Amino acid sequence: MNRTSRIAIDVGGTFTDVVELSSDTGEITFDKVPTTPEEPTTGVLAAFAVTSAALQEVTIFTHGTTLGLNALLTRNGARMAVIGTLGFRDVYLLGRTDRRPMYNLTYRPPTALLERYDTFEVPERSLFDGSVLRPLDVEAARAVAATVAERGYDSVAVAFLHSYANPAHELQMREILAEVAPEVVVSLSHELSREYREYERTSTAVLDAYVKPIVRRYLTVLQDRLADGGFAGRFLMTRSGGGAMTASAAREQPVSLILSGPAGGVIGAAAFARLIDRPNLITIDMGGTSLDASLIVDNEPVLHQGAEFESLPINTPSLYIHTIGAGGGSIAWLDGAGALQVGPQSAGAAPGPASYGRGGTAATFTDAALAVGYMGASAPLGGRLTLDAGLAISAIEPLAAEVGLSPLALARGIVRISTTKIMGAVRAITVEVGRDPKDFALLSFGGGGGLVALDVARELGIGTVVVPPGQGAFSAFGMLMADVQHDFSRTAVIPLAALDTDLLDATYAPMTDQAREVLTSEGFAGDGQVLMRSIDVRYSGQEHTVTVLVPDVPGAEVAAVVEKEFTELHERQYGHGMDDPIEVTTMRLRATGLVDKPTLPRLAARVEGGPVSTGTRSVYLSDEEPSVAYALYAREELLAGDEIAGPAVVSEHTATTVMHAGDHMHVGGYGEMVIAVGTFDTVPETTADQPAVLEPAGKA
């Protein structure tokens, strides 16, 4: 029998993580290679090269990339235009009139993706019920298409009024563009969102068109390179709403990839939560450039119907993930007042932190962690990159001299400030939305998560930290858990009292047929297809909605069951209920194609004795405790049932975990490290009332 494998590759800002699952033995291996931002395909192929499988042996390849997101961040996407209904040319540029940073007098909105020069309008008009008030003016449409071709646009977004109810005019416009401007890539708003709210739907189409040429080129080149090497398996991409989509679907709807970078870790966290029976988790994923915080509630990730990028709405389902610029490569600097700050600027993969020895000179979080002793220079990072402590200290010294501190004291300050920023990210997804962090365990992963997890948990009163196996490449592991998903929706603003099974069946029938057709075309048979119905509900006159699953009850009971569930969810999310009439706004269908899930092997238990320390390392905690001995352990040598008391440093191939005095770790059956967090008085340096910002000596 031929050997087969499944591979997942997650491209980060600094490292590209790869996980290989041997389908024959169930063995899972984790690894890292440097990211190659100048040529991302090269980094992906390098990740394949460190696996043991030949390309022809790979049956499923799941990939996560920030290519679309990076194009938006750097504003180097496609040169694009937008075509709207006559009289609504400025829908996208006007946007909404709300001002979120209400009291920030210096606020300026993010740079728009296009200018008014790039907006066009065509005479046509459909109404909210799908009827046509004014047919598409074909001659005017051809004139606009000719102008688009003449100006040399790479792509165009078409967003006509009420096309969610009747997409005929958008489809007609695409045919005209294909004839008059065949080289232009086209995004139609109704194919991305069949929901009302013109600005949000237009913004989604604009974002899709902005990244589509770039993503298409990348995926085409990558698929060709893989095919040349013998790959003939299924190629999947992770998507913003959790789950995955085929590479072919991703080429057509790349807007679904924009916020997909951290999705793999959240998908993996939900699966791991079920495996170890910890249904409620806060996740922190600290990579080289950023940190992503999210929640797992009752074994499921929190999903939002819609997301934003720099205040630009994306009208597609997305996982609830809060991202901050706090990664291993985050650069330390002094602000205008002379106070020490860390990030969001990052040294990235090139040149990287100073300690990488690749020409970087700026002090980063990684350099600080190495300087204080959290990390060591003896074991190569990822098995390939040896850190240089001398270079780390040299990068820190200029800042330390300017602040009036020793290099080690400043390094400790860098670590503490990063920890404080991460605490803020966790508070944003818990305390600020009415959840108590103490009701959760903290699941830490990513290359840097284990360095700060215990301090973050201690500050927030979280009693347990869980570190999964292969934490440094856990996001890639999560991709192996991703099913193929498609989301369909239809706007239907009706009183809840009018909702019954006949109306539901009539609305869902076309969505169901489309969903099954798509999944079947992607190779999923009937028993591998799962369809889930939900509806968005609100009090009449409200702006925001609550999503409720459609109950499987007799028709006469549907409205009553939905009302009860809505009232409970509204009370939980907003803290109150009302007696106002209730209405439905949107009907949704999630179609899932089930992919075989890997089974995480159980770790062997130790028969006698206990874990053996490989030595000790001095860790700088403060000027009063400049050299505290921390016991060193190799995670690869730990077995199920092992216990370790802090202070200790547990190193592994892709990451490091730091435990302090009072922390106590137990190794679980799947190799997870479950750490009981010590109290404040056992860790004198890290206290809740200590300042997080260091200032130069003599400054107030």
Side-chain angles (χ1 to χ4, degrees), residues 9-100:
I9 295 176
D10 179 27
V11 179
T14 304
F15 285 102
T16 293
D17 301 330
V18 55
V19 172
E20 178 184 3
L21 167 68
S22 171
S23 302
D24 307 318
T25 65
E27 180 184 5
I28 298 177
T29 55
F30 302 86
D31 214 327
K32 285 178 177 287
V33 298
T35 293
T36 54
E38 70 286 349
E39 180 50 61
T41 304
T42 301
V44 173
L45 295 176
F48 270 104
V50 301
T51 68
S52 62
L55 282 174
Q56 58 266 29
E57 297 172 343
V58 179
T59 56
I60 299 179
F61 165 43
T62 308
H63 182 29
T65 178
T66 58
L67 189 68
L69 177 62
N70 291 341
L72 287 165
L73 289 169
T74 58
R75 293 297 195 269
N76 67 350
R79 181 168 179 261
M80 62 161 300
V82 60
I83 303 173
T85 301
L86 180 66
F88 294 86
R89 174 183 177 184
D90 297 311
V91 162
Y92 175 70
L93 292 176
L94 287 176
R96 296 292 178 189
T97 58
D98 58 334
R99 181 185 174 92
R100 297 184 185 177

Side-chain angles (χ1 to χ4, degrees), residues 92-156:
Y92 175 70
L93 292 176
L94 287 176
R96 296 292 178 189
T97 58
D98 58 334
R99 181 185 174 92
R100 297 184 185 177
M102 190 175 298
Y103 303 109
N104 182 359
L105 299 180
T106 63
Y107 171 75
R108 294 293 181 272
T111 303
L113 302 181
L114 48 80
E115 304 291 337
R116 194 169 191 270
Y117 175 81
D118 306 313
T119 64
F120 302 89
E121 53 190 357
V122 173
E124 69 83 38
R125 185 66 179 268
S126 297
L127 300 180
F128 73 94
D129 60 358
S131 61
V132 176
L133 179 66
R134 182 178 185 178
L136 179 76
D137 187 326
V138 174
E139 290 306 313
R142 292 180 66 87
V144 167
T147 303
V148 167
E150 180 183 341
R151 293 186 184 178
Y153 289 107
D154 300 316
S155 62
V156 61

Side-chain angles (χ1 to χ4, degrees), residues 42 65 78 137 226 229 234 256 309 321 385 439 465 495 543 609 684 693:
T42 301
T65 178
D137 187 326
L226 292 175
R234 176 177 283 170
S256 296
F309 169 80
I321 300 173
L385 179 62
D439 295 334
V465 170
E543 174 70 13
V693 178

Side-chain angles (χ1 to χ4, degrees), residues 254-268:
V255 70
S256 296
L257 306 178
I258 288 175
L259 301 178
S260 68
V266 181
I267 297 167

Side-chain angles (χ1 to χ4, degrees), residues 208-292:
D208 188 75
Y210 190 73
V211 302
K212 184 177 285 186
I214 295 173
V215 173
R216 274 189 173 182
R217 284 195 297 270
Y218 169 69
L219 291 179
T220 299
V221 170
L222 180 57
Q223 281 187 294
D224 290 346
R225 297 279 296 274
L226 292 175
D228 291 344
F231 173 72
R234 176 177 283 170
F235 183 2
L236 303 177
M237 301 289 295
T238 54
R239 58 198 298 271
S240 305
M245 61 197 306
T246 64
S248 298
R251 282 200 300 268
E252 298 305 315
Q253 297 187 1
V255 70
S256 296
L257 306 178
I258 288 175
L259 301 178
S260 68
V266 181
I267 297 167
F272 199 67
R274 291 186 285 270
L275 188 68
I276 64 174
D277 194 25
R278 288 187 178 270
N280 298 313
L281 296 172
I282 297 168
T283 72
I284 58 170
D285 175 6
M286 187 176 183
T289 304
S290 61
L291 177 132
D292 305 301

Side-chain angles (χ1 to χ4, degrees), residues 61 79 92 120 125 164 182 211 216 240 259 330 347 381 412 417 593-595 603 616 676 694 696:
F61 165 43
R79 181 168 179 261
Y92 175 70
F120 302 89
R125 185 66 179 268
Y164 63 88
V211 302
R216 274 189 173 182
S240 305
L259 301 178
S330 293
L381 190 63
R412 167 57 62 184
I417 290 171
L594 299 178
V595 175
L603 189 65
T616 61
L694 303 182

Side-chain angles (χ1 to χ4, degrees), residues 246 270 272 379 472 484 562 622 628 648:
T246 64
F272 199 67
V484 171
V562 169
S622 66
V628 178

Side-chain angles (χ1 to χ4, degrees), residues 208-499:
D208 188 75
Y210 190 73
V211 302
K212 184 177 285 186
I214 295 173
V215 173
R216 274 189 173 182
R217 284 195 297 270
Y218 169 69
L219 291 179
T220 299
V221 170
L222 180 57
Q223 281 187 294
D224 290 346
R225 297 279 296 274
L226 292 175
D228 291 344
F231 173 72
R234 176 177 283 170
F235 183 2
L236 303 177
M237 301 289 295
T238 54
R239 58 198 298 271
S240 305
M245 61 197 306
T246 64
S248 298
R251 282 200 300 268
E252 298 305 315
Q253 297 187 1
V255 70
S256 296
L257 306 178
I258 288 175
L259 301 178
S260 68
V266 181
I267 297 167
F272 199 67
R274 291 186 285 270
L275 188 68
I276 64 174
D277 194 25
R278 288 187 178 270
N280 298 313
L281 296 172
I282 297 168
T283 72
I284 58 170
D285 175 6
M286 187 176 183
T289 304
S290 61
L291 177 132
D292 305 301
S294 190
L295 287 179
I296 305 297
V297 179
D298 296 331
N299 292 319
E300 296 294 337
V302 177
L303 190 69
H304 281 183
Q305 302 298 343
E308 287 188 350
F309 169 80
E310 292 185 351
S311 78
L312 301 175
I314 305 173
N315 210 23
T316 59
S318 298
L319 294 174
Y320 180 37
I321 300 173
H322 185 74
T323 301
I324 62 171
S330 293
I331 294 172
W333 53 283
L334 301 181
D335 63 19
L340 179 64
Q341 305 290 343
V342 183
Q345 306 94 328
S346 174
S355 53
Y356 283 10
R358 295 175 175 169
T361 57
T364 66
F365 173 86
T366 295
D367 299 318
L370 178 63
V372 300
Y374 279 8
M375 303 174 71
S378 57
L381 190 63
R384 298 173 183 83
L385 179 62
T386 300
L387 302 181
D388 189 320
L391 291 176
I393 293 293
S394 296
I396 293 170
E397 282 177 339
L399 279 179
E402 196 169 346
V403 171
L405 295 173
S406 69
L408 291 183
L410 187 87
R412 167 57 62 184
I414 293 172
V415 172
R416 286 171 53 197
I417 290 171
S418 296
T419 301
T420 301
K421 291 181 64 175
I422 296 166
M423 287 167 49
V426 173
R427 288 178 61 87
I429 63 170
T430 54
V431 176
E432 294 179 14
V433 294
R435 298 186 183 274
D436 189 344
K438 297 177 183 177
D439 295 334
F440 296 79
L442 181 66
L443 183 73
S444 167
F445 52 93
L451 299 171
V452 297
L454 273 300
D455 286 335
V456 170
R458 199 176 343 267
E459 294 280 2
L460 295 172
I462 300 171
T464 304
V465 170
V466 180
V467 183
Q471 60 168 317
F474 187 76
S475 286
F477 168 76
M479 293 176 185
L480 296 177
M481 301 287 186
D483 292 316
V484 171
Q485 292 179 348
H486 296 275
D487 292 290
F488 304 88
S489 62
R490 296 290 186 275
T491 287
V493 182
I494 57 173
L496 178 60
L499 191 68

